[in-house]
């Protein structure tokens, strides 16, 4: 299956550098130079697997584009393209629903590794399971990859789903941040551990009764996290 990637980048030379390298690696690409064009392209191409979103854009910023994509699509993988000076933006981007970020300047190999990791997660596990995991008030449906809390659907990204699934497969067991990173992002992922913390912070906002005092995903200080006490 060809992977389809949307490239949102207003600087034409950077965009064509990315597109040339993705094509060389076997991806199908769609290009956009503005946030509005990117959203329009996604409407026309609902089968896009991964969107690469530049942060600084002429008409809007990449975070707003991310928010708008996520509002209607929880399955697509989203990678933010950030500048080295935008350290805080990484966190902002992940909080608005991005799965990952790549800091400019990046190598084509780094970018394709990140895209592949997201595609694997989005398509790889979908066919294996047919069951449900119950952990009241939660119900995780591993066939549809959905989560309900008290019968209400909680909208999760693919990364968030994978984290919840990992916890529910290991209830009461402390998982190190490295274990979580390996299990969810893959062993060949070369990002930072911080991405685990940011995703868990976002997940807590969605699933905890009181995100500032979490009782489902609890912190194991100096080590990682676990599901339950
Ligand atoms: Ca830009």
């Amino acid at each position: 299956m060809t992977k389809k990637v949307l490239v949102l980048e207003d600087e034409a030379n950077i965009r064509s550098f990315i597109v040339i390298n993705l094509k060389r690696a076997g991806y199908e690409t769609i290009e956009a130079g503005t946030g509005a064009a990117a959203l329009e392209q996604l409407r026309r191409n609902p089968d896009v697997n991964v969107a690469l979103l530049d942060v600084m854009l002429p008409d809007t910023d990449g975070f707003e584009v991310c928010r708008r994509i996520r509002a209607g699509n929880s399955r697509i993988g989203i990678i933010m393209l950030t500048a080295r000076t935008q350290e805080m933006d990484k966190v902002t981007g992940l909080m608005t629903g991005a799965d990952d970020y790549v800091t400019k300047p990046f190598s084509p190999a780094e970018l394709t590794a990140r895209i592949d990791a997201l595609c694997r997660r989005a398509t790889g596990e979908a066919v294996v399971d047919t069951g449900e995991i119950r952990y009241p008030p939660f119900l995780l449906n591993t066939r549809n990859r959905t989560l309900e809390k008290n019968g209400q659907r909680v909208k999760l990204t693919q990364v968030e789903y994978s984290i919840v699934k990992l916890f529910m497969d290991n209830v009461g067991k402390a998982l190190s941040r490295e274990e979580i990173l390996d299990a969810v992002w893959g062993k060949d992922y070369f990002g930072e551990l911080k991405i685990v913390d940011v995703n868990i912070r976002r997940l807590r906002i969605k699933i905890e009764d009181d995100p500032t005092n979490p009782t489902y995903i609890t912190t194991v200080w100096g080590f990682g996290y676990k599901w339950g006490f």
Side-chain angles (χ1 to χ4, degrees), residues 9-11 54 56:
E9 166 66 69
D10 58 312
E11 284 167 69
D54 182 33
M56 300 287 283

Side-chain angles (χ1 to χ4, degrees), residues 69-96:
I69 294 172
R70 267 291 174 255
N73 185 335
S74 57
R75 295 196 72 86
I76 190 171
I78 299 179
I79 299 175
M80 305 302 297
L81 308 178
T82 66
R84 199 173 285 285
T85 49
Q86 295 166 326
E87 192 69 22
M88 273 310 295
D89 291 348
K90 293 173 180 175
V91 175
T92 312
L94 293 167
M95 293 304 283
T96 55

Side-chain angles (χ1 to χ4, degrees), residues 19-31:
V19 165
I20 286 166
N21 281 288
L22 292 184
K23 282 185 174 157
R24 193 174 290 160
Y27 302 97
E28 192 180 330
T29 56
I30 295 171
E31 298 179 46

Side-chain angles (χ1 to χ4, degrees), residues 76-192:
I76 190 171
I78 299 179
I79 299 175
M80 305 302 297
L81 308 178
T82 66
R84 199 173 285 285
T85 49
Q86 295 166 326
E87 192 69 22
M88 273 310 295
D89 291 348
K90 293 173 180 175
V91 175
T92 312
L94 293 167
M95 293 304 283
T96 55
D99 298 298
D100 202 355
Y101 58 84
V102 176
T103 306
K104 295 176 185 174
F106 45 79
S107 70
E110 182 180 6
L111 190 59
T112 53
R114 301 294 183 85
I115 294 170
D116 285 345
L118 275 183
C119 287
R120 258 199 310 281
R121 198 173 41 246
T123 56
E125 309 164 26
V127 273
V128 186
D129 267 296
T130 53
E132 290 179 340
I133 301 177
R134 279 170 202 280
Y135 186 93
F138 296 100
L139 171 63
L140 190 75
N141 185 315
T142 55
R143 182 173 32 209
N144 302 330
R145 298 171 66 85
T146 55
L147 178 71
E148 287 179 8
K149 181 182 181 185
N150 294 318
Q152 299 284 325
R153 175 80 169 270
V154 182
K155 281 180 87 175
L156 299 181
T157 66
Q158 291 296 320
V159 167
E160 291 162 353
Y161 169 84
S162 300
I163 294 173
V164 172
K165 171 81 164 47
L166 178 68
F167 278 125
M168 288 197 177
D169 285 339
N170 295 280
V171 170
K173 183 182 176 227
L175 300 172
S176 71
R177 295 151 85 223
E178 289 84 355
E179 275 177 87
I180 298 168
L181 192 72
D182 282 354
V184 174
W185 279 265
K187 284 199 191 306
D188 51 353
Y189 176 81
F190 44 111
E192 300 158 39

